[in-house]
Each structure stands twice: as structure tokens, then as C-alpha cells.
Amino acid sequence: MGRVTVRRKTTRLAGEHRSERVDTLAVEEPLELRVGGESLQVTMRTPGDDFDLATGFLLAEGVITKPRDIVSMRYCAGVDGNGEQTYNLLDIVLAADLPAPPKSAKRNTTVTSACGVCGKDSLEDVRTKAAWSVAEDDTAISAEVLASLPGRLRKAQKIFDRTGGLHAAGLFTSDGELLTAKEDVGRHNAVDKVLGQALREGLVPLRGNVLAVSGRASFELVQKAVMAGVPALAAVSAPSSLAADLAEESGLTLAGFVREDTMNLYARPDRIVDARRHRPRTR
């Protein structure tokens, strides 16, 4: 597997003082996903958990819904200038009874670490039909537990501690138990890695769970949560207007600016309860 971090010489300026030091940077490298030998997308990611990333991406695009939908995954041959395996090309074979990935799943450009839906032909292509309805999930989540998730996720960010340059996503139970956490230079990749692991372990649909992300809640993150059957998404920063619209349409609880004892609820606030009074919080 490729390196997750690299060491690089840097010059540090602090006022009039200049010093030389070695800094640790998060690795960003391309990963091409091929299905049946045909290129599906190229994404910029932090190496590691690539099989989970690919699985989560296919789940979010509506290509697969269960572990057996993937027959095999393997790295294709590819070496760098030093003759070392690059692990940057992943070939996936789907079950014979599955249709080919839809046009909406194919990216027309390289997906950067900042964009999860680049290259989509239209907004309608993103609105993939979900296999499960999150609106029907009657999970109740304590406001106290929800507010604690960003802090719990932060404690799981081991690579961020060394680089300060990665996003994170974590999957929690409604009681606040961390099931898994992933880091990546792309927030959408971190989410794909989390949801991909869950599918590979047979946990999808993720009813009764909460997805927490370290940054903002964009449209593609809400889409990924809905496609995996997650009823609630908590973000440290703000959601976009389109993210809030999709959450409202889908019946997903969307919380933004989740900090200690405060948060904004943009959709389905009824799931968030005051544990002390055992009744739903009002807006």
C-alpha cells in the first residue's frame, strides 16, 4: 500500500525569525476505478482503504447495494520511477446479474479532493434513487449525544494529528458508539471509505446510525448518507442550500454547526430529543 504521509523540508517564518524544519504532509494521489475493464472515474485521494472507497462510491451511485454485488477487486499493474507498485489503479468485477453502471456514475473529469460530483452532466443525475427510505427510520437521537460526535471523531483523527491536512468521517450508533472512522484529503472520499466498509461488513442499510463529518455538509455527502440508509448526518460546519433541500426531500436529519451543546437542525428535527425530558426538541 502507498504511503499515507511524506516528510518534506520547509522554511518556517515567525516574525523576523527564519528556520529550517521538516514537516509531515498528507499524501494526495490519483486512484482510477475501473469496472469490467472500463474506466469509471479518477479521484484524488489519500492512499489507504481503497477497497472501501470504491465500494462506498459504487453504493452512493446506486450501482451496488450488498456485499455480493462485487465479485472481485484488485490492483492493476503500475509502477513509479523507482519500480515500486503505485496502487493507483483498481479493477472491479461486478456480479453478472447487475446492470452496467449508469451514465450518471461515470465522471467526465478527474474528481479532485475538493469535489465529489465534478463532471456530472446535470443535477438530476445526482438524484439517484435510493434503495431504502431514511424517512421511515424512527431512530431517536439524544441532542447531548449528537453534540458530542465531532469531539469523538476528532479523537479518532490520527493522521490529522501529524499533518493537520485531512478531512474525517465517522459512523456512530445512536448512542454515540464509534463504529468506524476514516480520513482523507477529500471529504467525499472519507465518507465513501466509511460507508464502503459498512457495506463490506454487511451493515447496510445503516438504520439507527449517524454519520458525522469534520467539515461542511455538501449535497454529495447528504446523497451518500441517503443512499446508505443513514437517517442522520452531523457536520461541524454549515450545509449548503442544496444539501438542506435534499435532506428535507429524503427525510434525513441534517445538523450543522454541531459544537458542544449547540447545533442547527435543517431537516427532520423531530429525531433529535432532549434526553432529560424524553420529548422532541422544537426549532
Side-chain angles (χ1 to χ4, degrees), residues 17-271:
H17 182 66
R18 181 185 296 256
S19 61
E20 303 299 319
R21 57 178 291 183
V22 176
D23 201 4
T24 301
L25 303 180
V27 170
E28 181 177 25
E29 291 182 351
L31 175 67
E32 180 180 357
L33 302 181
R34 293 182 181 176
V35 174
E38 182 176 348
S39 181
L40 192 63
Q41 78 149 346
V42 178
T43 186
M44 302 302 295
R45 97 308 189 191
T46 300
D49 302 305
D50 289 338
F51 284 16
D52 290 335
L53 189 161
T55 301
F57 172 77
L58 294 173
L59 169 65
E61 293 296 330
V63 177
I64 63 173
T65 57
K66 49 190 178 297
R68 66 174 179 270
D69 287 341
I70 294 179
V71 174
S72 66
M73 280 191 285
R74 67 180 181 88
Y75 288 106
C76 298
V79 296
D80 59 19
N82 297 319
E84 296 180 358
Q85 168 65 264
T86 59
Y87 298 101
N88 286 341
L89 181 56
L90 193 59
D91 191 66
I92 305 158
V93 176
L94 300 179
D97 60 340
L98 288 182
K103 179 183 177 182
S104 61
K106 189 170 184 177
R107 299 296 192 261
N108 299 322
T109 61
T110 298
V111 179
T112 70
S113 57
C115 177
V117 293
C118 300
K120 286 292 189 178
D121 292 332
S122 71
L123 181 61
E124 289 305 313
D125 285 338
V126 184
R127 297 181 184 274
T128 313
K129 183 175 176 61
W132 306 280
S133 171
V134 297
E136 298 173 0
D137 192 319
D138 60 0
T139 299
I141 306 163
S142 161
E144 182 180 6
V145 167
L146 192 65
S148 72
L149 298 188
R152 298 183 188 191
L153 179 60
R154 175 65 186 84
K155 291 180 180 178
Q157 292 180 250
K158 304 304 182 184
I159 305 175
F160 181 88
D161 288 339
R162 296 158 57 193
T163 65
L166 291 179
H167 294 284
L171 184 65
F172 295 84
T173 68
S174 59
D175 293 327
E177 177 189 353
L178 177 63
L179 299 178
T180 185
K182 304 290 187 181
E183 296 177 272
D184 199 278
V185 289
R187 59 173 58 87
H188 55 284
N189 288 336
V191 171
D192 280 342
K193 289 177 178 182
V194 163
L195 300 182
Q197 178 183 332
L199 186 139
R200 279 156 55 84
E201 293 178 353
L203 301 178
V204 173
L206 289 164
R207 299 186 180 95
N209 294 294
V210 184
L211 180 65
V213 295
S214 60
R216 62 185 178 86
S218 56
F219 179 92
E220 68 266 27
L221 299 195
V222 172
Q223 180 213 10
K224 291 175 186 296
V226 170
M227 293 299 292
V230 183
L233 172 62
V236 172
S237 299
S240 67
S241 62
L242 208 54
D245 289 345
L246 181 59
E248 187 70 36
E249 292 174 12
S250 305
L252 175 135
T253 296
L254 178 59
F257 297 107
V258 182
R259 317 277 176 80
E260 298 180 351
D261 61 348
T262 64
M263 67 189 72
N264 292 345
L265 302 177
Y266 296 89
R268 286 298 302 268
D270 55 290
R271 283 197 182 95

